[in-house]
Amino acid sequence: MSVPRRTRLDPDARRAQLVELGVQALSKASLYDINLDEIAAAAGISRSLLFHYFGSKRRFQLAVVQAAAAGLLQGTDPDPALPSARQLRASIEDSVDYVSSRREVYLSLVRGAASGDAAMQEIFDRTRGALVDRIMAGIAELGGDPDDALLPIAVRSWLAFTEEAIISWIPGGPVSRERLTAFLESSFYRAVLG
């Protein structure tokens, strides 16, 4: 294996490069098993320089989880020009595709939130809140009452249900992607608006 040639980058570009390498590493290892020596080597820097940019392994992990959460939101953001019902369906389809193609990244986000780490929980809650807000923005068009205080709770609960269903689903298994997305879409109308 050849060692990457050292390249000078400004601090923001270097941090972004290291975070991206961290997110890529999540496809092979859990957040807590990411090898910082390998990340540093892939960037062509020393481990101590990685610590210079982030201060600690935990701060690096938080930056990686934040980037993974931003990728999830970006990867599942439907076209706002679509009607709300079509946005919902597109978001479900995109979520199935995103999680199934980045399973370890997504599991690291969820497991990080479940670890009891308050900062990880905050990232997860902020991400979940953004998904709830996205759905609530079109709730009236979907048939819900935007003033009903129970609806955001119902949407949050449905998102947790959806997350578990997608994580449990096996691509190429006995349940097709189309059947899973139709199931999740119909469960939204039954559980949230029913």
Side-chain angles (χ1 to χ4, degrees):
M1 179 175 132
S2 66
V3 176
R5 200 174 139 232
R6 288 184 182 256
T7 305
R8 284 204 175 273
L9 297 175
D10 70 67
D12 290 338
R14 180 66 74 193
R15 279 187 205 91
Q17 176 198 35
L18 292 167
V19 167
E20 178 59 30
L21 289 168
V23 172
Q24 290 172 14
L26 286 179
S27 65
K28 301 174 200 123
S30 76
L31 179 66
Y32 300 104
D33 292 331
I34 291 176
N35 186 316
L36 297 186
D37 291 323
E38 290 177 6
I39 299 290
I45 64 169
S46 68
R47 179 184 170 109
S48 61
L49 191 53
L50 186 146
F51 279 101
H52 169 76
Y53 286 113
F54 294 96
S56 69
K57 182 175 183 177
R58 181 176 180 277
R59 286 180 52 197
F60 176 69
Q61 290 169 333
L62 288 172
V64 168
V65 168
Q66 181 61 51
L72 168 68
L73 290 174
Q74 182 180 358
T76 60
D77 193 14
D79 180 352
L82 295 173
S84 293
R86 185 62 194 117
Q87 284 186 46
L88 177 69
R89 177 65 181 225
S91 189
I92 293 168
E93 291 169 345
D94 291 344
S95 294
V96 169
D97 294 343
Y98 183 90
V99 173
S100 62
S101 67
R102 296 168 186 85
R103 184 176 179 79
E104 292 307 316
V105 173
Y106 190 77
L107 287 175
S108 288
L109 177 62
V110 173
R111 287 181 184 146
S115 70
D117 183 316
M120 294 283 187
Q121 184 65 48
E122 182 194 342
I123 293 168
F124 182 80
D125 287 344
R126 197 170 47 241
T127 304
R128 175 74 51 87
L131 294 170
V132 170
D133 291 346
R134 186 184 287 171
I135 293 170
M136 288 300 296
I139 203 74
E141 191 179 327
L142 291 168
D145 177 1
D147 296 324
D148 184 348
L150 182 60
L151 279 182
I153 295 168
V155 170
R156 185 173 282 270
S157 300
W158 175 78
L159 285 169
F161 169 82
T162 298
E163 171 186 290
E164 184 59 35
I166 294 172
I167 289 171
S168 299
W169 178 65
I170 301 167
V175 177
S176 70
R177 175 186 176 273
E178 293 73 24
R179 186 171 180 205
L180 177 67
T181 55
F183 166 70
L184 293 172
E185 182 180 28
S186 66
S187 73
F188 173 84
Y189 289 103
R190 289 192 311 266
V192 176
L193 302 177

